[in-house]
C-alpha cells in the first residue's frame, strides 16, 4: 500500500468512524417494536429512480479486471475478444446501466496511451496503489469499450487529474470520440474502431483530498475548472452545442455571470471529485464556485461522494462467521449514508435548488476483512447474505433521494470488495449482492412512490435499528413494485399493505434469504443464497406480505 493511499483510506475511515458513532446512537426507541401497516401513496409519485443508480465500478485492482473480466483471446476460458463470456452473461442479466473505469486511485496514475494499439507493443507498468502488481495494459480503452458494448452498459471514465495533464485527458477524449479526418479518429480507426465511442460521464479525478492529490478544496477547484473547460467530447451525438457569441455578447461585455448555456440533452456529463464521506468542505467549495461560474468557460453536471461501510474499524470486520451484534452493527453503519446524503444535498440545495447538479455516489459498499490466503491489497472478501441486505438498504436510500442522487457505482463489480461476481480460473460464482441487483431490475428508471410506514424497531443489545425497510415504485412496465427488507435476524414479520385507489389482488415476486445471515455462495455451493419465488394472495380485500428473518423481498402488485 502506498503511503498516499494509506492516508486516503485512513482519512476516509476516520470520517466514517465518527459518522458511524453518530449512526450507532439509537435513533429509534430502544425497545423492540413490530412494524405497522404499509400504505403505498400511488397518488404522490416522486422522482424517477435513474437506472444509473444501479451502476458498477471496475478498477485495475487485484483480479477485478485481469482474471475477472479479461482472460485474453487465447484463453481456454470461453471469451469474446478476450472478455470472459460467463461474466458478460451474468452482467447482462442484471442490466448493468453504467460502468466506472479504470479507478479509483488507479485512475490518477493511469496513462491511457499505455493501453492502446497493438497488444504486443503495450508497455508493462507497475500498479503502485494496488500491491505493486504488474499492469500489462492489455485491457485498455478499446477493450473496455468492447466490454461495455458486450454487456450493454454506458461508459463512466475516471480522468487522470492527479498525475496527468489536461492535454493527456483532452487527447484521450479525442481518441474515443473524434470523427475523421481528425488524426485521433484515424488512430482509433487504425486500431479497429472507425465509429466514435459514446462517453456518457467523465469523472474529473478521484478522491482528490486523498490518493488523487491531496488537494485542499480550493486547490482542487482551480485544477478541476480547467479540466472541465478543455476536455471535450467530439462525438456528434454528444458534442456540446456551438456557442452563439452574438446571442450572449451583452453578457460577455458586462462580465455578468450567466445561469446557463443551451445543453445537448445527450451530452457528456462531467462529475467533479467530491467529498470524503461526511466532510462538507469539498461540496461547499465546489458548489460555491459552480454558482458563480460562467458556463461558457466551465461547467459540471455532478459531484461525487465516496462512503464505505467498514463496521467499527476499517479492514477488521469479519466477512463471514460473525454474530448478531456484528451483523446489526454493519447494518447500522451502512444506514449512516442516509445522513451523509441528506447533509450534502442540503449544501447543494443552497446553491442549486433546482437540482441541476447530481450527487453521484461513485464508490460505496462494505469493506471487510480480506479473504484468508489472498493478497490483502487485492481487497478480496467474502460476500454474505448480510451484504445483500446492505445493498438493499443502500439502494432504498438512494431511491428516496432520487431527485438528487442520479448515479451510484458499487465498489466493485468483479472480485473486489462488495462484489457482484467472484471468479477463480474458469470458475465463477454469483454473490448474494448480485442477487439483490437482479431482483431490483424493475426499479431501474421506475417512478418512486412514497410510503407511509411505521418501520418498527429491531434491537440487539444496545443497538436499535428499523425492523423493516421498504420502497415502492411504478416500473416502466406500468406495475407497482415493492421491495421490503426484514432486518430482524430472529423474527419473521407480516406487513399488511394498503394501496388506496388500487385493487391489489395479490403480490408476486422473489425473496432472498438463507438459514443464517452470514451464509455465502461458494464455487462448490453456488446456490446457498439465491432468490425463491413467492406469492401472496389478498384475502377479504386485505393483502399481507410475510417476510422471513434477515431477508429481502421484491414483489409486483397484481391488480
Ligand atoms: O475501491 C477501492 C479504493 O477505495 C479506490 O481505489 C479508492 O478511490 C477508494 O479509496
Amino acid at each position: 500500500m502506498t503511503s498516499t493511499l494509506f492516508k486516503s483510506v485512513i482519512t476516509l475511515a476516520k470520517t466514517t468512524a465518527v459518522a458511524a458513532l453518530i449512526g450507532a446512537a439509537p435513533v429509534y426507541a430502544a425497545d423492540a417494536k413490530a412494524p405497522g401497516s404499509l400504505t403505498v401513496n400511488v397518488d404522490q409519485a416522486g422522482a424517477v429512480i435513474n437506472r444509473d443508480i444501479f451502476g458498477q465500478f471496475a478498477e485495475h485492482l487485484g483480479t477485478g479486471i485481469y482474471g475477472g473480466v479479461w482472460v485474453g483471446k487465447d484463453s481456454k476460458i470461453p471469451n469474446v475478444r478476450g472478455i470472459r463470456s460467463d461474466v458478460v452473461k451474468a452482467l447482462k442479466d442484471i442490466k448493468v446501466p453504467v460502468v466506472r473505469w479504470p479507478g479509483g486511485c488507479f485512475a490518477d496514475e493511469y496513462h491511457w496511451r499505455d493501453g492502446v494499439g497493438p497488444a504486443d507493443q503495450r508497455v508493462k507498468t507497475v500498479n503502485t496503489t494496488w500491491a505493486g502488481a504488474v499492469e500489462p495494459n492489455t485491457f485498455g480503452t478499446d477493450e473496455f469499450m468492447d466490454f461495455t458494448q458486450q454487456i450493454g452498459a454506458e461508459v463512466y471514465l475516471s480522468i487522470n487529474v492527479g498525475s496527468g495533464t489536461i492535454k493527456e485527458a483532452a487527447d484521450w477524449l479525442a481518441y474515443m470520440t473524434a470523427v475523421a479526418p481528425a488524426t485521433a479518429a484515424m488512430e482509433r480507426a487504425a486500431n479497429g474502431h472507425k465509429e466514435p465511442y459514446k462517453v456518457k460521464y467523465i469523472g474529473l479525478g478521484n478522491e482528490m483530498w486523498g490518493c488523487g492529490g491531496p488537494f485542499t478544496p480550493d486547490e482542487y477547484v482551480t485544477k478541476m475548472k480547467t479540466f472541465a473547460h478543455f476536455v471535450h467530447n467530439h462525438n456528434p451525438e454528444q458534442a456540446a452545442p456551438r456557442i452563439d457569441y452574438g446571442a450572449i455578447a451583452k453578457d460577455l461585455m458586462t462580465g455578468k455571470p450567466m445561469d446557463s448555456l443551451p445543453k445537448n440533452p445527450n451530452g457528456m456529463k462531467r462529475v467533479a471529485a467530491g467529498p470524503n464521506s461526511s466532510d462538507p468542505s469539498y461540496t461547499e467549495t465546489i458548489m460555491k464556485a459552480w454558482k458563480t461560474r460562467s458556463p461558457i468557460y466551465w461547467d459540471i453536471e455532478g459531484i461525487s461522494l465516496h462512503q464505505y461501510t467498514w463496521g467499527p474499524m476499517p479492514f477488521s470486520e469479519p466477512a463471514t462467521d460473525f454474530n448478531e451484534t456484528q451483523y446489526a452493527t454493519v447494518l447500522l453503519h451502512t444506514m449512516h449514508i442516509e445522513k451523509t446524503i441528506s447533509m450534502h444535498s442540503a449544501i447543494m440545495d443552497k446553491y442549486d435548488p433546482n437540482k441541476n447538479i447530481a450527487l453521484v455516489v461513485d464508490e460505496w459498499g462494505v469493506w471487510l476483512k480480506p479473504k484468508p490466503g489472498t493478497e490483502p491489497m487485492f481487497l478480496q472478501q467474502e460476500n454474505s447474505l448480510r451484504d445483500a441486505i446492505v445493498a438493499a438498504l443502500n439502494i432504498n436510500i438512494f431511491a428516496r433521494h432520487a431527485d438528487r442522487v442520479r448515479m451510484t457505482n458499487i465498489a466493485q463489480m468483479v472480485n473486489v470488495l462488495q462484489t457482484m461476481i467472484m471468479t477463480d480460473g474458469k470458475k465463477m460464482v454469483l454473490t448474494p449482492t448480485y442477487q439483490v441487483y437482479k431482483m431490483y431490475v424493475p426499479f431501474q428508471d421506475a417512478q418512486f412512490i412514497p410510503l407511509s410506514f411505521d418501520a418498527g424497531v429491531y434491537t440487539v443489545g444496545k443497538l436499535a435499528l428499523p425492523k423493516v425497510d421498504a420502497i415502492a415504485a411504478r416500473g416502466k412496465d406500468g406495475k407497482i413494485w415493492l421491495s421490503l427488507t426484514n432486518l430482524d435476524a430472529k423474527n419473521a414479520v407480516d406487513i399488511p399493505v394498503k394501496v388506496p385507489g388500487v385493487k391489489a389482488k395479490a403480490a408476486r415476486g422473489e425473496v432472498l434469504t438463507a438459514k443464517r445471515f452470514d451464509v455465502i455462495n461458494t464455487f462448490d455451493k453456488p446456490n446457498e443464497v439465491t432468490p425463491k419465488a413467492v406469492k401472496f394472495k389478498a384475502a377479504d380485500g386485505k393483502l399481507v406480505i410475510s417476510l422471513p428473518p434477515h431477508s429481502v423481498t421484491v414483489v409486483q402488485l397484481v391488480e
Side-chain angles (χ1 to χ4, degrees):
M1 180 191 285
T2 62
S3 57
T4 322
L5 176 76
F6 188 67
K7 265 203 277 178
S8 177
V9 170
I10 294 307
T11 318
L12 194 64
K14 271 193 202 152
T15 322
T16 317
V18 173
L21 283 176
I22 301 165
V27 277
Y28 303 92
D31 294 333
K33 181 164 115 8
S37 63
L38 180 153
T39 304
V40 185
N41 300 305
V42 274
D43 54 330
Q44 299 171 27
V48 167
I49 304 168
N50 194 314
R51 63 197 297 263
D52 293 346
I53 281 178
F54 298 87
Q56 300 287 330
F57 169 35
E59 180 165 13
H60 287 234
L61 191 180
T63 52
I65 297 291
Y66 298 107
V69 171
W70 178 260
V71 287
K73 293 173 189 161
D74 301 329
S75 171
K76 288 207 175 93
I77 299 170
N79 69 84
V80 174
R81 294 179 294 278
I83 296 163
R84 58 188 296 167
S85 303
D86 51 355
V87 167
V88 166
K89 153 99 181 58
L91 294 173
K92 275 171 88 168
D93 288 349
I94 56 170
K95 299 196 186 312
V96 173
V98 60
V99 184
R100 177 175 183 247
W101 176 85
C105 294
F106 178 81
D108 281 297
E109 292 195 275
Y110 181 62
H111 301 285
W112 69 273
R113 281 222 157 268
D114 295 343
V116 292
D120 57 354
Q121 289 168 29
R122 296 199 192 166
V123 294
K124 292 186 175 54
T125 49
V126 179
N127 189 334
T128 47
T129 309
W130 302 116
V134 171
E135 168 57 57
N137 284 300
T138 41
F139 188 88
T141 306
D142 294 308
E143 290 76 20
F144 174 66
M145 291 296 182
D146 187 9
F147 167 64
T148 55
Q149 285 168 6
Q150 287 191 34
I151 65 169
E154 301 273 7
V155 166
Y156 177 17
L157 278 182
S158 266
I159 299 294
N160 181 346
V161 172
S163 70
T165 62
I166 296 168
K167 176 167 167 28
E168 183 184 8
D171 286 351
W172 195 12
L173 263 290
Y175 175 80
M176 288 180 281
T177 62
V179 285
T183 305
M186 308 301 275
E187 184 186 356
R188 187 188 62 241
N191 289 335
H193 307 278
K194 186 165 174 272
E195 296 307 318
Y197 295 120
K198 281 203 185 138
V199 179
K200 186 169 180 183
Y201 301 96
I202 54 169
L204 304 170
N206 171 73
E207 298 194 352
M208 300 308 285
W209 36 263
C211 65
F215 296 103
T216 65
D218 286 319
E219 287 165 350
Y220 172 61
V221 166
T222 304
K223 209 169 162 79
M224 178 272 287
K225 288 196 288 196
T226 54
F227 278 78
H229 179 56
F230 291 112
V231 179
H232 304 287
N233 185 319
H234 307 280
N235 185 320
E237 286 181 46
Q238 296 195 289
R242 293 223 177 88
I243 296 169
D244 178 349
Y245 285 97
I248 58 170
K250 196 161 151 252
D251 290 341
L252 286 175
M253 297 283 287
T254 56
K256 173 180 166 253
M258 287 168 280
D259 285 338
S260 63
L261 278 179
K263 284 203 175 187
N264 177 347
N266 301 315
M268 182 178 77
K269 296 177 173 50
R270 292 153 290 188
V271 181
N276 166 13
S277 195
S278 53
D279 179 347
S281 61
Y282 260 63
T283 313
E284 187 72 50
T285 308
I286 295 168
M287 289 307 297
K288 200 169 171 187
W290 176 82
K291 180 71 185 166
T292 52
R293 86 215 178 284
S294 257
I296 190 172
Y297 300 128
W298 73 277
D299 212 344
I300 51 170
E301 288 75 27
I303 294 189
S304 76
L305 160 68
H306 289 185
Q307 180 161 315
Y308 283 95
T309 300
W310 312 99
M313 274 295 286
F315 319 127
S316 66
E317 199 59 18
T320 189
D321 294 324
F322 46 83
N323 62 32
E324 191 178 350
T325 304
Q326 290 168 305
Y327 161 79
T329 303
V330 167
L331 299 191
L332 203 46
H333 287 184
T334 210
M335 285 187 292
H336 185 76
I337 203 166
E338 154 67 36
K339 283 185 186 159
T340 306
I341 290 174
S342 297
M343 190 268 287
H344 291 296
S345 295
I347 298 173
M348 295 172 83
D349 285 348
K350 269 196 307 182
Y351 300 102
D352 173 31
N354 296 329
K355 302 189 192 292
N356 290 306
I357 306 290
L359 185 60
V360 173
V361 190
D362 60 17
E363 284 188 33
W364 67 273
V366 283
W367 190 320
L368 306 167
K369 242 189 196 166
K371 202 168 165 175
T374 62
E375 157 61 55
M377 289 310 287
F378 280 5
L379 311 186
Q380 267 184 281
Q381 61 191 38
E382 296 291 6
N383 190 294
S384 69
L385 175 63
R386 178 182 63 185
D387 302 328
I389 293 175
V390 163
L393 293 175
N394 278 273
I395 295 169
N396 293 354
I397 291 166
F398 302 146
R400 288 188 200 103
H401 287 274
D403 56 347
R404 182 66 84 180
V405 176
R406 298 200 280 271
M407 171 161 64
T408 89
N409 309 81
I410 187 168
Q412 297 192 3
M413 191 171 67
V414 187
N415 288 336
V416 177
L417 295 175
Q418 191 176 348
T419 186
M420 303 289 119
I421 299 172
M422 291 180 186
T423 65
D424 181 9
K426 64 177 193 259
K427 292 184 273 184
M428 181 190 84
V429 65
L430 307 175
T431 65
T433 299
Y434 173 94
Q435 302 300 350
V436 165
Y437 272 71
K438 192 154 182 217
M439 291 163 73
Y440 268 75
V441 165
F443 287 91
Q444 293 196 8
D445 284 338
Q447 189 157 26
F448 184 79
I449 304 175
L451 299 174
S452 307
F453 183 43
D454 173 353
V457 182
Y458 160 47
T459 56
V460 185
K462 287 188 179 148
L463 303 177
L465 295 83
K467 201 176 183 73
V468 172
D469 190 49
I471 59 162
R474 190 175 288 278
K476 285 180 80 185
D477 55 5
K479 309 254 187 280
I480 297 170
W481 287 88
L482 281 172
S483 172
L484 302 111
T485 297
N486 183 6
L487 288 75
D488 192 321
K490 291 186 284 283
N491 302 298
V493 61
D494 286 343
I495 308 287
V497 174
K498 297 176 187 164
V499 197
V502 173
K503 264 200 187 146
K505 288 194 288 197
R508 65 161 177 252
E510 290 181 322
V511 60
L512 188 73
T513 190
K515 276 196 210 111
R516 270 181 60 88
F517 39 66
D518 62 346
V519 172
I520 59 174
N521 290 334
T522 63
F523 296 115
D524 297 332
K525 292 186 175 175
N527 297 317
E528 295 296 287
V529 193
T530 45
K532 308 271 176 312
V534 281
K535 184 160 184 183
F536 308 96
K537 280 194 184 151
D540 302 328
K542 289 187 182 136
L543 179 65
V544 176
I545 296 185
S546 303
L547 308 175
H550 46 66
S551 65
V552 180
T553 301
V554 173
V555 286
Q556 66 164 261
L557 296 185
V558 183
E559 296 176 34

